[in-house]
Amino acid sequence: MTLGSVTERARVWHLLAHTAWQSVLRWVHGGPLFRWSPFTGAPARLLIAPQDLRTADGTNAADIYAGRFLFAGQLVEANGQSPFEVIPPSADWERALHGFGWLRHLKAADTIVARQNARALVEDWIRYCGYWHETGWEEQVVSRRVMAWLSQSPLILEGCDHDFYRRFLRSLARQVRYLRRTLNEVPDGLPRLSAAIAVAAATVSLSGQGRYVRQSLRRLDQELARQILADGGHITRNPAALLDILVDLLPIRQALTMQGMPSSQAVMQAIDRMMPMVRFFRHGDGTFAHFNGMGSTPADLVATILAYDDARGAPPGNAPHSGYQRLAHNDTVVLIDVGPPPPAALSQNAHAGCLSFELSSRRNRIIVNCGVTHSDRGVWRAVSRSTAAHSTAVIDDTSSAHFIAEERYRGWLGAPIVAGPTQVPVEREEDTAGTRVVASHNGYQDSHRIIHERDLTLASDGTVLDGIDRFRKTGKLGPRDRYAIRFHLHPSVKASSIRAGTAVLLVAADGEAWEFVAPGCEMTVEESIYLSDTYGHRRTAQIVLHGRVSLRDEVSWQLRRTVNAKTSRKRVSSPNAEELDL
């Protein structure tokens, strides 16, 4: 057993011990004793309903009324049954059902039928699952349901009788009590912060919660201070976490103001730090870069969140605490992952994509990472987290970070990262010629005795990106020193080999063209897949540079814009290729 495997196994056992202890505490605080204990703390009334900032589609209300429930890419027809009685097709579908986020679609319909339907479905949940349900009482699901019931309470309660009003408030208060008791055992990261937000929202919105207000808001402040980094990123390094936090935190700030309670400095500072980072991760077309679990971008949600940004300043270029760099010149944007993976307990969605980058020009995304899928979380989830699914270098078809591989552990722990880069030094230079970032990582040092270094320079006019990938040997190389430097292309970009295979022409949908060259390298255009499309997986291509570290330890390449977006038809030719009509 190597030193690395010993270290990894020690981390696994530490995670197992921590998870087991958390399970024991969860059973003590929220198990049978909680369910059997009498509950008499129901509030008398609802004081305020926090606003739901998520976009709704009223046309979905007809499907819900007809008993058709489409969640997580899967459709279930209830056929006259309560949806809480049918056999769920997947855990993700079931969590979406019990989370009640779909209530906003009924509210958007704004009809008497929609209000009655919402009330009936809430009544069904209280009847079938209000006491206990294995999925419905997962802390993350309870958090989402509490926020949904609070924000959609005008829809649910309008025109209801007194008995339903009391049952609703009693169930809501019981769920908040459950979150309050189990908050320390909620999985760390976004789930725990979401639970703290839900408890704070309920405390502000329900009557008779005076003794809990200070405690709940203090706990929210503590989680924000711990999880929101100094540059505004989230501790998990997932850009999507910022959207999930802000969409719930902004209404809390509004609710506090309406109740005459000032928002704490921790809340205000967290929002002020996160807003610039929302702009940081955006490409020219408004989509987020695909790093560490970020999938398709909910553009409407991003626009809503940014409407609350009073500063509206330019995004930062350097996010050292989050581990990202942004190079932006003249409508060309390059985003680079230059950080180690988060701690193992927070790495369930983290990727092995250190030193990967994405490039966009105006509204065209050119180089991307494969992203993640939300419709299939099986084998594709593992693929999306591998280094090969990112636009960076891969040694010996091995990821730069190691995930838990043993099935016997995954049932308890999932698939966190247990080993990966620990040192990622970064240097940034800016001058009149452009912006240069040099970074390296040691993710392959123990296994292959190789340190990967990437040197990227974006010209000041945004038309040229020069790159150098270096492979520094830290010991005697073994036979497994073959590398592949991958550049995944967005599906809207068409790739064609030109100049007898020594260059690749990349043409976007609007006619903008970039040329990729890597002098002296073995270069191929191969198939790839784009996982983060709104409508499912899409075929695409990737440029791959092949080589061996023992034969060539430095690779230079260049991306150069040759044609701007189409304003007139222009013919581009090369000595060894057919003319291309652009």
Side-chain angles (χ1 to χ4, degrees), residues 123-198:
E123 182 77 270
D124 279 353
W125 189 90
I126 294 174
R127 180 185 304 117
Y128 295 115
C129 312
Y131 178 71
W132 184 255
H133 186 277
E134 185 175 358
T135 299
W137 282 84
E138 291 178 0
E139 289 86 353
Q140 299 97 310
V141 178
V142 177
S143 300
R144 292 260 44 89
R145 186 169 56 251
V146 166
M147 293 299 295
W149 282 19
L150 286 172
S151 61
Q152 306 305 336
S153 55
L155 167 76
I156 300 168
L157 299 176
E158 184 178 350
C160 74
D161 57 46
H162 180 71
D163 288 342
F164 176 81
Y165 189 91
R166 295 297 300 160
R167 288 195 301 275
F168 175 80
L169 288 184
R170 184 180 179 85
S171 177
L172 186 58
R174 193 167 186 270
Q175 295 172 59
V176 174
R177 176 175 173 244
Y178 176 78
L179 285 180
R180 190 177 287 121
R181 290 180 58 138
T182 61
L183 186 57
N184 290 329
E185 289 78 60
V186 177
D188 200 2
L190 183 58
R192 189 176 298 175
L193 180 53
S194 296
I197 292 175

Side-chain angles (χ1 to χ4, degrees), residues 382-499:
V383 169
S384 68
R385 301 177 73 192
S386 67
T387 303
H390 297 76
S391 293
T392 187
V394 184
I395 306 293
D396 188 39
D397 289 329
T398 304
S399 289
S400 60
H402 299 167
F403 308 93
I404 286 183
E406 293 89 343
E407 289 295 333
R408 55 178 174 166
Y409 297 141
R410 287 195 175 188
W412 279 79
L413 303 178
I417 292 177
V418 293
T422 57
Q423 298 178 14
V424 190
V426 183
E427 296 180 7
R428 182 184 177 102
E429 302 174 5
E430 298 185 55
D431 55 33
T432 56
T435 304
R436 179 189 182 196
V437 169
V438 182
S440 62
H441 77 77
N442 63 343
Y444 290 113
Q445 184 172 13
D446 291 341
S447 57
H448 296 79
R449 301 182 183 88
I450 295 171
I451 289 179
H452 175 211
E453 180 181 271
R454 172 159 274 183
D455 185 335
L456 298 179
T457 302
L458 180 64
S460 58
D461 61 1
T463 61
V464 178
L465 176 66
D466 287 302
I468 304 174
D469 284 290
R470 303 182 182 93
F471 304 97
R472 300 204 307 265
K473 298 180 283 290
T474 61
K476 183 178 180 181
L477 296 179
R480 301 182 303 142
D481 68 336
R482 184 172 293 277
Y483 58 78
I485 307 174
R486 302 181 183 275
F487 303 84
H488 295 275
L489 306 178
H490 189 267
S492 64
V493 174
K494 304 303 179 186
S496 305
S497 294
I498 59 175
R499 300 179 186 168

Side-chain angles (χ1 to χ4, degrees), residues 52 122 171 191 221 258 262 321 323 380 409 440 457-458 556 563 565:
D52 189 348
V122 170
S171 177
D221 289 349
M258 294 178 68
H321 299 89
W380 283 114
Y409 297 141
S440 62
T457 302
L458 180 64
S556 298
V563 179

Side-chain angles (χ1 to χ4, degrees), residues 56-378:
D57 184 357
T59 60
N60 291 335
D63 286 333
I64 295 174
Y65 180 74
R68 293 189 294 269
F69 297 87
L70 177 61
F71 306 133
Q74 295 174 301
L75 176 66
V76 169
E77 298 200 26
N79 294 322
Q81 288 182 290
S82 167
F84 303 104
E85 293 182 291
V86 302
I87 299 175
S90 69
D92 285 344
W93 184 93
E94 190 173 25
R95 291 187 180 100
L97 173 69
H98 285 264
F100 277 84
W102 40 269
L103 280 176
R104 67 183 184 274
H105 303 309
L106 298 179
K107 182 180 180 182
D110 195 24
T111 63
I112 295 176
V113 170
R115 288 192 287 272
Q116 292 174 340
N117 192 22
R119 191 155 52 246
L121 290 168
V122 170
E123 182 77 270
D124 279 353
W125 189 90
I126 294 174
R127 180 185 304 117
Y128 295 115
C129 312
Y131 178 71
W132 184 255
H133 186 277
E134 185 175 358
T135 299
W137 282 84
E138 291 178 0
E139 289 86 353
Q140 299 97 310
V141 178
V142 177
S143 300
R144 292 260 44 89
R145 186 169 56 251
V146 166
M147 293 299 295
W149 282 19
L150 286 172
S151 61
Q152 306 305 336
S153 55
L155 167 76
I156 300 168
L157 299 176
E158 184 178 350
C160 74
D161 57 46
H162 180 71
D163 288 342
F164 176 81
Y165 189 91
R166 295 297 300 160
R167 288 195 301 275
F168 175 80
L169 288 184
R170 184 180 179 85
S171 177
L172 186 58
R174 193 167 186 270
Q175 295 172 59
V176 174
R177 176 175 173 244
Y178 176 78
L179 285 180
R180 190 177 287 121
R181 290 180 58 138
T182 61
L183 186 57
N184 290 329
E185 289 78 60
V186 177
D188 200 2
L190 183 58
R192 189 176 298 175
L193 180 53
S194 296
I197 292 175
V199 170
T203 303
V204 173
S205 302
L206 298 172
S207 66
Q209 303 294 303
R211 61 182 176 140
Y212 296 119
V213 170
R214 181 175 298 178
Q215 171 190 345
S216 300
L217 295 180
R218 185 190 306 119
R219 183 55 191 271
L220 175 59
D221 289 349
Q222 291 172 351
E223 288 299 325
L224 287 171
R226 188 175 65 87
Q227 296 195 32
I228 305 304
L229 303 175
D231 55 22
H234 188 249
I235 193 171
T236 61
R237 305 191 64 240
N238 185 348
L242 300 178
L243 302 178
D244 291 335
I245 295 167
L246 284 167
V247 76
D248 288 333
L249 191 60
L250 290 169
I252 299 298
R253 184 180 66 175
Q254 287 182 314
L256 287 169
T257 301
M258 294 178 68
Q259 291 284 66
M261 304 168 61
S263 298
S264 68
Q265 192 166 359
V267 170
M268 300 301 293
Q269 289 178 348
I271 293 174
D272 289 343
R273 291 199 303 269
M274 284 188 283
M275 282 297 189
M277 285 300 289
V278 172
R279 298 183 184 277
F280 177 96
F281 287 112
R282 296 180 81 204
H283 282 294
D285 64 348
T287 58
F288 271 37
H290 302 310
F291 295 123
N292 287 301
M294 183 69 211
S296 57
T297 303
D300 50 355
L301 183 60
V302 174
T304 300
I305 289 173
L306 289 178
Y308 287 82
D309 184 9
D310 298 328
R312 299 181 184 274
N318 184 9
H321 299 89
S322 299
Y324 293 102
Q325 292 284 323
R326 178 185 175 97
L327 286 62
H329 289 294
N330 211 20
D331 295 327
T332 299
V333 175
V334 178
L335 289 161
I336 318 168
D337 181 347
V338 291
L346 297 164
S347 64
Q348 289 289 345
N349 295 312
H351 289 198
C354 193
L355 301 194
S356 64
F357 80 98
E358 293 197 349
L359 178 145
S360 65
S361 174
R362 299 179 177 88
R363 297 188 61 82
N364 295 316
R365 283 180 289 166
I366 309 299
I367 306 296
V368 296
N369 295 319
C370 292
V372 298
T373 177
H374 296 293
S375 61
D376 182 355
R377 301 183 65 84

